[in-house]
Amino acid sequence: MGRVLLVHDESLGRDVALKELLPGHGVDHDGTLIEAKHRKELVALFMREARITGQLEHPSITPVHEFGRREDGSLYYTMKLVKGKTQQKAIEECKSLDDRLKLLPNFVDLCNAIAYAHSRNVIHRDINST
């Protein structure tokens, strides 16, 4: 439904992640293609995602800085830019059990973030085990 870009916030002089709603088609949370005729639902989902994410204040949840609409009507929101590697990449780089065990605090942080979201009645629909 959207894509995330690295952009520079010139007013504050920092790089941020910008998620924008893609024009035309999109993909629902379960991978189903959403056609342009369902655009209103897609816009509503995107706005809901931004609002819900913006309300979750947790050290392991990326904060939303801004939600907006461009002159052409397209929607976006900006978030703190998180640099690093994916957990999958970190696991692949491990050479020993000790290396993998050092990653456990990151996994615990992830579990705590999900538990916090659940305590706020929010379920993340994009989590998978791959």
Side-chain angles (χ1 to χ4, degrees), residues 9-28:
D9 180 340
E10 294 195 11
S11 62
L12 295 175
R14 65 180 176 184
D15 290 337
V16 295
L18 179 140
K19 184 167 186 179
E20 63 182 357
L21 186 59
L22 292 174
H25 298 297
V27 178
D28 198 359

Side-chain angles (χ1 to χ4, degrees), residues 22-67:
L22 292 174
H25 298 297
V27 178
D28 198 359
H29 68 277
D30 63 358
T32 306
L33 187 67
I34 298 175
E35 296 180 20
K37 65 182 178 182
H38 301 294
R39 188 79 180 148
K40 286 182 182 178
E41 291 89 350
L42 195 58
V43 167
L45 280 172
F46 187 80
M47 291 175 69
R48 183 171 182 240
E49 174 184 306
R51 283 192 190 107
I52 289 171
T53 305
Q55 293 172 7
L56 297 176
E57 295 186 26
H58 187 276
S60 296
I61 297 176
T62 306
V64 171
H65 295 311
E66 175 186 20
F67 177 80

Side-chain angles (χ1 to χ4, degrees), residues 77-126:
Y77 64 92
T78 62
M79 303 166 281
K80 175 183 177 181
L81 178 63
V82 178
K83 295 180 181 179
K85 57 182 116 180
T86 65
Q87 184 167 335
Q88 180 64 40
K89 179 72 173 162
I91 291 169
E92 289 170 1
E93 292 175 355
C94 290
K95 304 215 182 320
S96 68
L97 174 60
D98 284 340
D99 289 342
R100 288 190 299 276
L101 290 174
K102 290 176 187 173
L103 298 176
L104 276 178
N106 298 332
F107 186 72
V108 170
D109 290 344
L110 169 67
C111 293
N112 286 330
I114 293 169
Y116 168 75
H118 288 179
S119 76
R120 302 283 313 263
N121 295 318
V122 174
I123 296 174
H124 196 302
R125 294 161 37 166
D126 296 328

